[in-house]
């Protein structure tokens, strides 16, 4: 039985994370050729530091169906688009909180530092600008999608080593970094053969990515 064991150890871990917010978005359709989307998201998270507050993520996009204009004379379809938006990644559940853990000292119960905490800790925020076009020709037999994106992550979460004299070993999570990602995505799909009973589809996708740590 448990009571007859020479050593009895008990462990308990609990974690609760609250994430709440609201989102609003509206799409404006102008003459069924111009589409404007605006929106925003507001987030609050229990993992944020006490001195941080709420985080707002705006977004906006515009697309233009060029092939619906009067000057467009062929049967091909073309849509140009550009979008801007922000997103975020929250820290861990207790990264912003100063915590301790129990440990024996001189055969007596004691506690030692565990996590230094950061009352100003917030999410890392990524701002992305995306532009490109969608095209279709020959009654949909050839479809092309081209997208260029440029994303910059600011206030990136990095662990910063602390002086041992403070009594907390290890590191403290801070919003200190900046990361840049950019690239090009190209997709081409074709349907060279279409019959009543069978068909042939051929597609290819190519993407590039350039990632750089701008600042630590």
């Amino acid at each position: 039985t448990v009571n007859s064991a020479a050593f009895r150890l008990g462990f308990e871990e609990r974690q609760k994370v609250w994430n709440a917010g609201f989102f609003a978005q509206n799409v404006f359709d102008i003459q069924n050729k111009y589409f404007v989307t605006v929106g925003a998201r507001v987030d609050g998270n229990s993992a944020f530091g006490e001195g941080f507050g709420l985080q707002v993520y705006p977004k906006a996009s515009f697309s233009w169906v060029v092939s619906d204009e009067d000057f467009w004379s062929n049967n091909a379809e073309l849509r140009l688009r550009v979008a801007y938006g922000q997103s975020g990644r929250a820290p861990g559940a207790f990264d912003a909180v100063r915590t301790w853990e129990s440990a024996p000292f001189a055969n007596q119960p004691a506690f030692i530092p565990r996590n230094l905490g950061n009352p100003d800790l917030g999410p890392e925020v990524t701002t992305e600008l995306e532009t490109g076009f969608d095209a279709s020709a020959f009654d949909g037999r050839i479809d092309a999608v081209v997208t260029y994106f440029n994303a910059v992550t600011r206030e990136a979460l990095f662990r910063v080593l602390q002086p041992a004299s403070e009594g907390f070993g290890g590191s403290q999570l801070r919003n200190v970094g900046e990361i840049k990602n950019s690239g090009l995505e190209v997709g081409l799909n074709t349907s060279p053969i279409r019959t009543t009973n069978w068909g042939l589809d051929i597609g290819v996708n190519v993407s590039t990515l350039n990632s750089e740590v701008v600042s630590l």
Side-chain angles (χ1 to χ4, degrees):
T1 63
V2 175
N3 289 335
S4 63
F7 297 95
R8 286 173 289 175
L9 304 176
F11 302 95
E12 183 175 339
E13 286 283 343
R14 295 188 183 186
Q15 179 172 306
K16 180 183 292 185
V17 179
W18 288 92
N19 187 70
F22 60 89
F23 172 78
Q25 176 177 294
N26 194 33
V27 180
F28 299 92
D29 179 358
I30 305 172
Q31 299 179 359
N32 205 30
K33 293 183 292 185
Y34 315 103
F35 299 91
V36 180
T37 302
V38 292
R41 194 178 91 223
V42 180
D43 277 1
N45 194 297
S46 59
F48 296 168
E50 294 181 355
F52 183 79
L54 301 176
Q55 178 66 44
V56 181
Y57 303 111
K59 63 175 294 185
S61 65
F62 171 76
S63 65
W64 174 27
V65 184
V66 183
S67 54
D68 285 348
E69 297 289 353
D70 296 335
F71 60 77
W72 196 264
S73 58
N74 54 53
N75 294 327
E77 298 179 358
L78 176 64
R79 181 171 68 97
L80 304 179
R81 49 185 167 76
V82 60
Y84 165 89
Q86 288 186 343
S87 61
R89 183 175 72 92
F94 300 110
D95 288 335
V97 182
R98 176 168 295 191
T99 60
W100 311 81
E101 62 180 337
S102 60
F105 180 77
N107 294 323
Q108 296 294 324
F111 59 90
I112 59 175
R114 183 176 184 180
N115 182 45
L116 178 57
N118 183 356
D120 298 321
L121 192 64
E124 60 180 27
V125 180
T126 299
T127 302
E128 182 170 351
L129 179 64
E130 180 182 297
T131 183
F133 67 87
D134 305 325
S136 178
F138 303 106
D139 295 327
R141 289 180 178 267
I142 299 179
D143 294 318
V145 178
V146 177
T147 302
Y148 170 79
F149 66 91
N150 188 301
V152 178
T153 300
R154 295 183 173 88
E155 303 296 331
L157 296 169
F158 282 95
R159 293 199 171 275
V160 181
L161 292 176
Q162 298 300 299
S165 59
E166 291 190 0
F168 285 84
S171 58
Q172 180 189 43
L173 194 64
R174 293 184 183 178
N175 298 100
V176 294
E178 182 174 339
I179 303 171
K180 181 179 180 181
N181 291 285
S182 61
L184 182 67
E185 299 175 352
V186 180
L188 180 63
N189 297 292
T190 63
S191 299
I193 301 177
R194 289 181 180 177
T195 67
T196 304
N197 298 321
W198 69 284
L200 176 64
D201 297 330
I202 301 175
V204 61
N205 293 278
V206 178
S207 62
T208 65
L209 175 63
N210 180 33
S211 183
E212 178 186 1
V213 178
V214 180
S215 172
L216 289 176

